[in-house]
Amino acid sequence: MSVQVKICGVSHPGAVTAAVQGGARYIGLVFYERSPRHVAPPLAAELARMVPTGVRTVGLFVDPTNEYLEHVVSQVPLDLIQLHGDETPERVAEIRAAFSMPVMKAIKVSSAADLDMADAYAAVADRLLFDAKPPAKVAALPGGNGIAFDWTILTGRTWSKPWMLSGGLTAGNVAEAIAVSGAQSIDVSSGVEDRPGHKDPDLIRDFLKAAGR
């Protein structure tokens, strides 16, 4: 089975084109104003309309209110909601029910103990995403920090829902990350940027090739 790739945080048409042509399965749009990858709904709608059938458009949110979710989904055609904040399992279930849309929950990981909460989220979400936890007392975004975690803690682990690996992935290490973790889906953001928030089409193509696309 080939590995599915998500290019997250796209903000311009060239990035969408490179991702789609290179074989990405998911395109991620960030709706978090503190992120350099944030896109306003009008631009996001334009980018989403470029995504062909067969490729899924993901909206990334951080502890969103229902009002903000409605503001976005009423304008942008999304296939999946990604929750990348401190949402509880109860909140994940609430959002999934309120918007009748599949939900992926990000779990921040620095050690094997952080995986203990995965089952509770797997019970209410459609997918899981394991991302590196930012170091304590360091100003960092909820994701997209270019930090990796020890992939061996995922080796041989299974959950009741599909899961995706994220955090510090680049064209130079993605093959190793897949081999070590056993991931069937991977997510990249800062690893395909030439500057914060700007996806480089060549880096996207290189990453997808390295991931076996």
Side-chain angles (χ1 to χ4, degrees):
M1 181 185 296
S2 62
V3 173
Q4 297 183 341
V5 179
K6 173 171 171 273
I7 306 296
C8 191
V10 302
S11 60
H12 61 93
V16 177
T17 298
V20 170
Q21 291 181 348
R25 181 67 174 82
Y26 300 88
I27 303 295
L29 301 169
V30 174
F31 300 101
Y32 179 59
E33 292 185 356
R34 286 182 52 203
S35 171
R37 304 166 188 95
H38 172 258
V39 286
L43 173 57
E46 292 181 19
L47 297 174
R49 284 192 288 269
M50 295 179 61
V51 179
T53 301
V55 179
R56 304 182 74 186
T57 303
V58 183
L60 184 154
F61 299 86
V62 178
D63 298 306
T65 63
N66 280 17
E67 291 75 16
Y68 184 61
L69 283 164
E70 178 61 34
H71 173 69
V72 174
V73 302
S74 65
Q75 300 177 68
V76 186
L78 298 177
D79 300 303
L80 180 68
I81 291 173
Q82 177 178 333
L83 298 174
H84 216 96
D86 296 321
E87 302 88 0
T88 64
E90 293 76 17
R91 178 61 177 148
V92 173
E94 181 182 84
I95 289 172
R96 187 175 184 273
F99 292 89
S100 300
M101 190 179 297
V103 172
M104 176 164 65
K105 178 65 180 91
I107 297 173
K108 300 178 182 66
V109 180
S110 62
S111 68
D114 294 316
L115 301 178
D116 292 345
M117 66 186 72
D119 285 331
Y121 284 108
V124 293
D126 298 274
R127 302 184 68 95
L128 303 174
L129 183 145
F130 297 110
D131 193 10
K133 180 185 293 185
K137 299 182 181 180
V138 172
L141 296 167
N145 295 298
I147 302 169
F149 63 92
D150 179 5
W151 304 314
T152 63
I153 65 177
L154 293 172
T155 305
R157 296 290 299 266
T158 60
W159 285 273
S160 61
K161 299 293 173 61
W163 58 274
M164 187 174 286
L165 175 65
S166 186
L169 298 177
T170 66
N173 67 15
V174 65
E176 179 188 359
I178 292 167
V180 171
S181 68
Q184 293 298 317
S185 300
I186 54 176
D187 172 285
V188 64
S189 185
S190 62
V192 291
E193 292 180 348
D194 54 13
R195 60 183 186 273
H198 185 268
K199 297 293 181 290
D200 182 278
D202 288 334
L203 293 178
I204 289 174
R205 285 186 279 266
D206 290 345
F207 185 90
L208 290 164
K209 289 177 183 176
R213 300 306 304 163

